[in-house]
Amino acid sequence: MPILRYDTIQNALPGVLMQPFGPIIYKTDITAECLDRLTTLTANSRNNDDMRPGLAGNLSDEKLLNIDDASALEIIEHCAVLQTALWNMPKESIKHFTRKMLIDNIWVNYQKAFEWNPLHSHTGDISFVIYIANPIDYELEKKHPTQRANTPTAGKISFRYGEKHPMSNHTFMHIPVAGEMFCFPAWLEHQVFPFTTEGIERISIAGNISINN
């Protein structure tokens, strides 16, 4: 997969800018401090407002997240890195975009066995997902009868752009890791495949950001 080496923004924040197809995706790790804060917030969010009526996920539990200012700022800073790359602007523009960005909505996904997110896109300008806990044993998942074909997908996130053509990628699949964050254009279609192990729960945070122009 091509990894873009933007001289103007490289090393601005830890992470890589990937272009497996047309649009750019930014993958990074949130700080340990932010992960600790978000872990506590997600643990305390189970009685918050039910977000499922406004979401595409086939999940039994998706709740509103009341985020703290420090975590919101870190999320916005990472999304500003992506926006700077999308517009091919110098790294100094990260601070500019940080001031222009607002989190529209943010929620927690408590994903259990055989739950999934169908192919969908988001509102706003930039979307993100952060993995808080991911206890899935992917080697065990490979042994499930549903994973014996040539494209095992259990527990993966997939992004899709355009149509299938010879010698051209149109999908990108990834095995998520706790503490990992993806930022991507809100219109980019993506989906989350189910895992099969009963009795565990993967927790992620997702949200949308608008840019005030």
Side-chain angles (χ1 to χ4, degrees), residues 71 91 120 165 197:
S71 299
K91 64 182 180 181
H120 68 289
H165 296 288
T197 305

Side-chain angles (χ1 to χ4, degrees), residues 98-116:
T98 298
R99 293 191 296 267
K100 295 286 186 179
M101 288 182 167
L102 176 68
I103 297 179
D104 291 335
N105 42 52
I106 184 168
W107 62 93
V108 189
N109 304 301
Y110 304 98
Q111 185 183 5
K112 303 171 183 63
F114 301 105
E115 298 183 343
W116 74 97

Side-chain angles (χ1 to χ4, degrees), residues 36-121:
D36 286 343
R37 291 193 301 268
L38 293 176
T39 299
T40 299
L41 288 174
T42 56
N44 296 330
S45 296
R46 294 183 182 271
N47 294 322
N48 287 1
D49 292 345
D50 186 359
M51 296 291 285
R52 289 178 299 169
L55 300 175
N58 287 262
L59 276 68
S60 59
D61 199 4
E62 294 179 290
K63 295 297 176 62
L64 175 71
L65 179 69
N66 298 315
I67 195 168
D68 63 288
D69 291 343
S71 299
L73 178 59
E74 183 168 331
I75 289 170
I76 287 173
E77 285 177 339
H78 285 302
C79 291
V81 172
L82 173 64
Q83 189 63 30
T84 300
L86 291 170
W87 287 15
N88 198 26
M89 297 179 72
K91 64 182 180 181
E92 289 76 17
S93 300
I94 294 173
K95 291 184 179 180
H96 167 76
F97 284 122
T98 298
R99 293 191 296 267
K100 295 286 186 179
M101 288 182 167
L102 176 68
I103 297 179
D104 291 335
N105 42 52
I106 184 168
W107 62 93
V108 189
N109 304 301
Y110 304 98
Q111 185 183 5
K112 303 171 183 63
F114 301 105
E115 298 183 343
W116 74 97
N117 237 311
L119 192 65
H120 68 289
S121 59

Side-chain angles (χ1 to χ4, degrees), residues 129-197:
V129 59
I130 303 170
Y131 292 92
I132 305 302
N134 189 23
I136 300 171
D137 183 338
Y138 286 93
E139 291 302 315
L140 180 62
E141 289 292 327
K142 289 179 183 178
K143 298 176 182 179
H144 193 272
T146 64
Q147 301 298 298
R148 302 296 173 83
N150 61 18
T151 310
T153 59
K156 294 181 180 180
I157 184 171
S158 175
F159 297 90
R160 189 179 80 173
Y161 173 73
E163 301 300 325
K164 184 177 181 179
H165 296 288
M167 294 178 285
S168 176
N169 287 335
H170 79 299
T171 60
F172 163 56
M173 284 198 295
H174 179 75
I175 296 175
V177 177
E180 200 168 57
M181 176 181 184
F182 280 97
C183 308
F184 50 94
W187 52 261
L188 181 61
E189 290 188 314
H190 56 287
Q191 65 189 106
V192 179
F193 292 97
F195 56 88
T196 65
T197 305

